Amino acid sequence: MRLAALLMVLGATGCAHVATLRPAEKGALEVELTAGGPVVKQGTVAIPASLTSLGARYGIHERVDVQAHFHPTAALLGVLGLDVGTSVLAVKGHKGIPDVTATARLFAFTDFRRTFEPNFQLGAVASWRLFNRIAPYLGVDVMGAGPHFGVAAGLQGTFGRFTVQLEGKWFVVGDDVRSRLVEWLSPNDIGTFGVQLGVGYRFGRVSPSLP
C-alpha cells in the first residue's frame, strides 16, 4: 500500500511529536495527543499530514520523566508504530536564561510483513516562560543513521492542568525529499516544512509555580 510505505518514511523522521519543554513533574502523569506533520502540496493547496501520536509521560525525578506513545494514524494504515523515551531538564531557567530540556526516544514501525523500521531520536529545546503561562521555544533534533536533522519553533500555553502547543518544524534539513508518492512543501526539495498541534493534560499535583 502506497500510504503504508509513505508512513514508514515519515516514521523515520520522528513526526507526530511536538517538542517537550519540561519533563512531567515527579509523581505526576501527563497524557498528550499530537497531530500534524510535514505539509503535502495538492495542486495549489498545502495540507499538513494527518499523523498522530497518543501517549503518556510520568515524572520519576524532579528533572526526569519516562514516556511511551502509540501512533493511531499508522495503525489505521496497517502499520504498528510505538516509541518509548525519557526527557531530562538539563538547565532550569531563570530570568533571561531558558529552560533547556533534552529528550531521547526509540521508535519502531512495522507492517508485520517485510518491513521493520527502528530509529533513535535525540532532541533538545530551549524555552522561555513568560507571565508564568506562555512559553515560546526553539528546538533541534537528530534521528536515525542518516542522520536526519530537524529544527523547530513554537509556542506553548499552560492553563491549569492543560497545555496547548503549536509548532512549526523543518523536517530532515539538508535531505533531498523528491518523491514519486507526494509533493512536499519544501525549499527546493531540501527538507520539508510542517506544522503540529499538541494538547496535554496533567494528573496528580499541579506545581504552585504554574498557573
Side-chain angles (χ1 to χ4, degrees), residues 49-174:
S50 299
L51 303 176
T52 53
S53 69
L54 175 65
R57 301 188 291 123
Y58 181 77
I60 59 173
H61 183 271
E62 286 81 359
R63 293 194 174 201
V64 183
D65 72 17
V66 292
Q67 55 192 255
H69 298 85
F70 168 69
H71 296 255
T73 302
L76 290 174
L77 297 177
V79 176
L80 175 64
L82 301 170
D83 65 77
V84 294
T86 182
S87 292
V88 178
L89 180 63
V91 177
K92 190 172 183 179
H94 179 66
K95 295 184 178 180
I97 299 174
D99 288 334
V100 179
T101 297
T103 298
R105 293 191 184 98
L106 179 63
F107 289 77
F109 287 82
T110 181
D111 60 4
F112 298 102
R113 292 188 292 275
R114 298 181 179 180
T115 306
F116 174 69
E117 187 72 41
N119 268 298
F120 181 74
Q121 181 186 44
L122 183 63
V125 59
S127 63
W128 295 262
R129 191 159 295 276
L130 308 177
F131 311 112
N132 211 30
R133 186 181 298 275
I134 303 298
Y137 64 90
L138 299 171
V140 296
D141 64 71
V142 59
M143 187 165 183
H148 305 292
F149 295 93
V151 295
L155 190 69
Q156 182 190 79
T158 302
F159 308 96
R161 295 181 181 274
F162 289 92
T163 58
V164 180
Q165 193 166 329
L166 182 63
E167 178 176 294
K169 188 169 182 178
W170 187 3
F171 296 93
V172 291
V173 177

Side-chain angles (χ1 to χ4, degrees), residues 5-15 38 49 51 109 184:
L6 174 60
L7 196 64
M8 300 294 286
V9 174
L10 292 174
T13 70
C15 300
L51 303 176
F109 287 82
W184 304 107

